Amino acid sequence: MTSWSSFAPVTSDFNGDGYADLAVGVPTATVGGKAKAGYVSVVFGGANGPGPHGTARITQSTAEVPGTPEAGDRFGGSVVSSHIDDPCGPEELARGGGIHIHYGDGREPVGEGQTLNQDTPGVPGTAETGDDFGSALTAADVDGDGKDDLIAGAPGEAIGTAARAGSVTVLKGGTKGILDARGAADAVAYQQNSPGVLGVAQAGDTFGAALATGDHNGDGVPDLSVAAPGENSGAGGVWDLTGATAGGSVVTPNSLGLPASADPPAYGAVLGR
């Protein structure tokens, strides 16, 4: 499979310490009394992953940032720290969402590709209306085999009776692409009720609404950031799955000591990548 991107361990290293950092847009936050003026939260990476190594809060009041915070600005509504070419968006007409991949030939995408959803053999779950499978995507070689893997969010996925609790699926890349010669995937799904994943899946969490990868702990392996902007009634949070496996840590506005907001901040709704 021709990779969608080349994983660069420290391309989002804002403070130059050799660890990738995480940029989180919070466009609905109140700044200086201005509702939905928005800010960007930079969570610095380190040996223990993002969170314990400090943060920086950037607004339009920050030195050298143009403009002034005003109501409705939604500063931080889009954040980019390193470019990962999105393989494809969701198939809007597919039940529950789906992904169509155009593979490249080294110069540009070519017509031949693969289409998959949660009814594809090897993909966990079942395609159901409202799952939004593929509405968030990122790619990185998380298992170190030289083939990019595809990570797909399904923020509308019901977990038991918890509607829109959300999940994320890691689809392993191979010699034929994401699907093998039989049209099957090698994949694993994670949600907040998965062993080793912190928290509990609750209605409206929308775990998997935004995704990003970066080597946050400096071990040479991409880590997966998974946002759940609906967590705790819209306060939000970002899960750092070390090596794109169960485990890791969580950062929330409360754990980072971020200022209170008149509107639910939906922390993690926008992730830099």
Side-chain angles (χ1 to χ4, degrees):
M1 180 179 77
T2 301
S3 66
W4 295 294
S5 65
S6 296
F7 177 74
V10 293
T11 51
S12 58
D13 179 13
F14 299 113
N15 60 355
D17 65 355
Y19 295 95
D21 306 313
L22 175 64
V24 181
V26 193
T28 61
T30 300
V31 177
K34 306 296 184 181
K36 298 182 181 179
Y39 64 85
V40 174
S41 169
V42 178
V43 185
F44 297 117
N48 298 314
H53 306 282
T55 66
R57 182 170 173 265
I58 302 170
T59 76
Q60 286 180 286
S61 294
T62 302
E64 300 183 3
V65 175
T68 301
E70 297 175 314
D73 275 354
R74 296 182 60 84
F75 181 79
S78 180
V79 181
V80 176
S81 56
S82 61
H83 181 66
I84 298 173
D85 192 16
D86 188 336
C88 190
E91 295 287 309
E92 294 181 354
L93 300 180
R95 183 179 60 183
I99 304 164
H100 185 70
I101 307 164
H102 286 284
Y103 294 102
D105 62 359
R107 296 182 300 276
E108 59 184 14
V110 296
E112 185 177 357
Q114 296 175 333
T115 299
L116 61 137
N117 66 8
Q118 287 180 290
D119 285 339
T120 300
V123 178
T126 302
E128 299 170 310
T129 300
D131 283 347
D132 294 335
F133 178 76
S135 62
L137 295 170
T138 191
D141 180 12
V142 299
D143 56 6
D145 66 353
K147 307 289 192 304
D148 272 0
D149 309 302
L150 177 63
I151 302 101
E157 179 85 8
I159 305 300
T161 60
R164 296 190 62 76
S167 69
V168 62
T169 301
V170 179
L171 301 129
K172 300 298 182 64
T175 56
K176 299 293 184 181
I178 294 299
L179 303 181
D180 63 20
R182 300 175 293 112
D186 178 9
V188 59
Y190 300 106
Q191 33 94 353
Q192 286 178 276
N193 286 351
S194 297
V197 177
L198 299 174
V200 176
Q202 297 176 312
D205 281 348
T206 60
F207 183 79
L211 306 169
T213 56
D215 183 10
H216 297 127
N217 59 2
D219 64 356
V221 179
D223 306 309
L224 174 62
S225 296
V226 182
E231 176 80 6
N232 290 337
S233 302
V238 179
W239 274 247
D240 182 60
L241 303 185
T242 307
T245 60
S249 59
V250 183
V251 292
T252 67
N254 185 55
S255 72
L256 297 173
L258 296 175
S261 176
D263 296 288
Y267 191 82
V270 179
L271 293 180
R273 53 186 188 136

